[in-house]
Amino acid sequence: MSCSIFFGDATMDSPCNHPGTAISVYAVLANPPSESGSVLFTNVTFELDGNLVGTYSHIPDPSAEQFEYNITIFSTSGLNNMNHTLTMTDAQGAQMSLLLFDYAKYT
């Protein structure tokens, strides 16, 4: 499994080059009140082997915990047992986005 994360023009690659049949991606979500223009909105797209397979959006909720941990933002299973490439893109559209990548698990 090969993982890439794109932040605007920057790329972060993670060395998880193993075959697998499932992957789950976890993030930390931010909910504190936005101060001085802080970006707290999360908007992520996921590509698996070059195909768009999902999106995730989170609008901050000031009534929730300030930070929410171990939140599943993408999960898929039933993949062929071979090498796969997962690409996560912190989508920058009309509104800036914050991606607090926590970890990924693959089997």
Side-chain angles (χ1 to χ4, degrees):
M1 187 77 62
S2 174
C3 300
S4 297
I5 305 171
F6 293 95
F7 301 96
D9 294 332
T11 303
M12 182 180 93
D13 292 314
S14 300
C16 49
N17 298 314
H18 299 281
T21 59
I23 186 165
S24 295
V25 177
Y26 300 84
V28 176
L29 301 180
N31 288 308
S34 180
E35 297 177 9
S36 67
S38 299
V39 175
L40 302 174
F41 172 69
T42 300
N43 186 27
V44 186
T45 60
F46 299 90
E47 292 181 21
L48 185 64
D49 300 329
N51 298 304
L52 180 64
V53 291
T55 61
Y56 183 87
S57 293
H58 170 74
I59 297 171
D61 178 0
S63 66
E65 291 290 323
Q66 187 171 12
F67 291 98
E68 297 176 73
Y69 299 92
N70 300 314
I71 303 299
T72 305
I73 61 171
F74 176 77
S75 185
T76 190
S77 61
L79 303 172
N80 291 330
N81 192 13
M82 55 185 270
N83 285 332
H84 297 281
T85 300
L86 178 69
T87 303
M88 296 174 278
T89 303
D90 188 19
Q92 301 291 325
Q95 184 176 358
M96 294 182 68
S97 175
L98 172 68
L99 173 58
L100 299 175
F101 173 74
D102 199 3
Y103 62 98
K105 290 193 321 189
Y106 54 91
T107 57

